[in-house]
Amino acid sequence: MTREERRAILGDGVIARIRERVAQAPEPSDEVVEVLRRIMTRPGGAVPVPRPISASWPAAKAA
C-alpha cells in the first residue's frame, strides 16, 4: 500500500493523531534495539542445515 493510499483510507486527522502518539513514545533502550535487530536480521532463527536423506525413512524403504 502506498503512502497516498493510506492517506486516502485513514485521512489526515488519523495520521496526525498517529504521529502525535508516536512522538510521545520513549526512545527504546539499547537492549531493546539489539533484540529487535537480531529478530529483524533472522526472523526465523538460524537457517537449518540440510540433512542427507536417510535409508531409514519410510519413503526410502518403499523405494
Side-chain angles (χ1 to χ4, degrees):
M1 180 178 294
T2 67
R3 194 174 275 190
E4 293 78 21
E5 290 171 329
R6 278 193 300 272
R7 184 172 297 277
I9 292 170
L10 297 175
D12 291 335
V14 171
I15 293 172
R17 282 181 283 187
I18 291 170
R19 289 185 176 151
E20 288 171 11
R21 293 289 305 267
V22 169
Q24 293 173 1
E27 289 294 319
S29 68
D30 291 340
E31 294 83 18
V32 169
V33 171
E34 184 58 32
V35 168
L36 290 174
R37 184 175 289 126
R38 286 196 306 259
I39 291 170
M40 299 304 280
T41 302
R42 291 203 180 249
V47 177
V49 177
R51 298 182 316 184
I53 295 177
S54 170
S56 63
W57 284 23
K61 289 180 182 177

